[in-house]
Amino acid sequence: MNYRQMTSIYFSPTERTKGVVEEIAEQFPVSRQSLDLTDSVKNRPDYWFREDEAVIVGVPVYGGRVPDVAQKRFRNLHGHGTAAVLVVTYGNRAYEDALLELSDILKEQGFRPFAAAAAVAEHNIVGVYAEGRPDEKDQKLIRQFGARAAKQLADIKSSYETEDLKLPGKRPYKAYGTLPIPIKVESSCTDCGLCVKKCPVQVISRTDPRVVDTSGCIACMRCIHVCPSGSRKVSALMKLAIRQKLKKACSGRKEPEFFYEAGK
């Protein structure tokens, strides 16, 4: 298929999903642009894509699902038979229904998924799980996936001719839910306001960044990731509790998984 542009689209609070998506995008030999849906925007516009374009859409897995906030932002994307590569990243536990759910969302929005990847990335809360990943081995496999997907797309005469992409997961999806993770703010905080600005769900007080509406927090750890003074942290006790809870599920190295249309 002759397509003129590839757009990388991602919800990526700690930028690990962004890195995987961009690594894949680099394997497509066409003009590229990026669309970051992580930040909160008061009046988010709709984005329209044509049949002669392609997209790579990436999101981290939260509790085996596509995060609710990301789901809503993906509803602002509109395809017209636009070919799509799907990407989810997860912290070495499981991605469960996330890829299937992402595919369903994009199909409803007019996209045609033709390839998908589930990549392991360092756990956003307990970094000891999948520490340093995607590592060199992962990145090589991710690049190979991107090259194969690019060739596959070039061989498609029309995105409307793509076959149904078979993905793991179940419908109805597992119940969605996140647990609030208290964030400790140390005295080194300079009140710079960057955490307030960058919070994807705007639950940090604009007058005092030490105050968080935990009922709306999605535990994405973006405020910790962007803090220039390193003042925002999850307490050692909380990390230990989460680590123990995930010990069995996150044990052993899980490898990235890739999916293509039947026979491709």
Side-chain angles (χ1 to χ4, degrees):
M1 186 179 82
N2 293 321
Y3 60 104
R4 62 186 179 87
Q5 184 168 275
M6 168 63 76
T7 302
S8 300
I9 305 171
Y10 41 81
F11 175 81
S12 184
T14 58
E15 300 192 320
R16 294 187 181 96
T17 302
K18 172 185 176 181
V20 173
V21 169
E22 295 291 13
E23 190 86 59
I24 294 169
E26 288 177 4
Q27 312 311 310
F28 287 76
V30 292
S31 174
R32 298 191 299 272
Q33 65 177 11
S34 298
L35 175 58
D36 189 344
L37 298 179
T38 313
D39 290 345
S40 176
V41 176
K42 187 174 183 180
N43 294 305
R44 189 176 300 278
D46 287 286
Y47 303 93
W48 301 84
F49 300 88
R50 305 186 333 185
E51 186 189 358
D52 62 350
E53 296 181 76
V55 299
I56 304 176
V57 182
V59 65
V61 177
Y62 290 0
R65 295 282 305 278
V66 174
D68 184 63
V69 63
Q71 292 181 38
K72 293 175 180 176
R73 292 175 191 181
F74 291 155
R75 302 291 180 187
N76 288 88
L77 307 175
H78 304 277
H80 184 70
T82 309
V85 177
L86 316 177
V87 178
V88 298
T89 61
Y90 68 105
N92 205 59
R93 187 188 69 82
Y95 59 91
E96 295 168 289
D97 300 330
L99 260 186
L100 181 64
E101 182 178 21
L102 180 58
S103 177
D104 288 346
I105 292 170
L106 292 181
K107 284 180 180 178
E108 290 175 8
Q109 297 304 113
F111 295 88
R112 302 279 177 150
F114 72 95
V120 178
E122 185 172 310
H123 197 282
N124 70 329
I125 302 173
V126 188
V128 68
Y129 295 127
E131 185 175 5
R133 298 184 70 184
D135 57 20
E136 187 174 337
K137 179 182 177 182
D138 294 321
Q139 290 170 358
K140 180 179 180 180
L141 293 172
I142 289 166
R143 288 192 294 270
Q144 290 174 349
F145 164 76
R148 180 172 170 179
K151 183 179 185 305
Q152 180 178 330
L153 182 58
D155 291 342
I156 297 172
K157 292 182 180 180
S158 167
S159 63
Y160 283 103
E161 296 180 1
T162 58
E163 300 177 16
D164 191 30
L165 183 62
K166 303 298 183 183
L167 297 170
K170 297 179 180 179
R171 302 185 188 92
Y173 318 124
K174 65 174 295 185
Y176 177 78
T178 57
L179 294 175
I181 306 294
I183 303 298
K184 177 183 178 183
V185 183
E186 299 182 338
S187 58
S188 55
C189 173
T190 62
D191 294 320
C192 70
L194 187 59
C195 60
V196 177
K197 179 181 178 181
K198 289 295 185 178
C199 175
V201 287
Q202 292 295 285
V203 294
I204 303 175
S205 170
R206 292 186 174 277
T207 56
D208 185 355
R210 295 160 187 79
V211 177
V212 176
D213 177 6
T214 56
S215 66
C217 177
I218 59 173
C220 70
M221 302 295 116
R222 184 167 175 80
C223 62
I224 292 176
H225 180 73
V226 302
C227 180
S229 61
S231 302
R232 302 182 74 86
K233 298 178 180 179
V234 174
S235 73
L237 187 61
M238 176 61 71
K239 278 192 174 183
L240 179 61
I242 297 172
R243 180 174 177 175
Q244 288 300 112
K245 182 179 180 180
L246 296 176
K247 186 175 182 179
K248 183 177 180 180
C250 291
S251 63
R253 178 186 172 98
K254 295 180 176 66
E255 300 297 341
E257 297 180 29
F258 307 108
F259 304 89
Y260 309 88
E261 291 178 347
K264 299 296 185 180

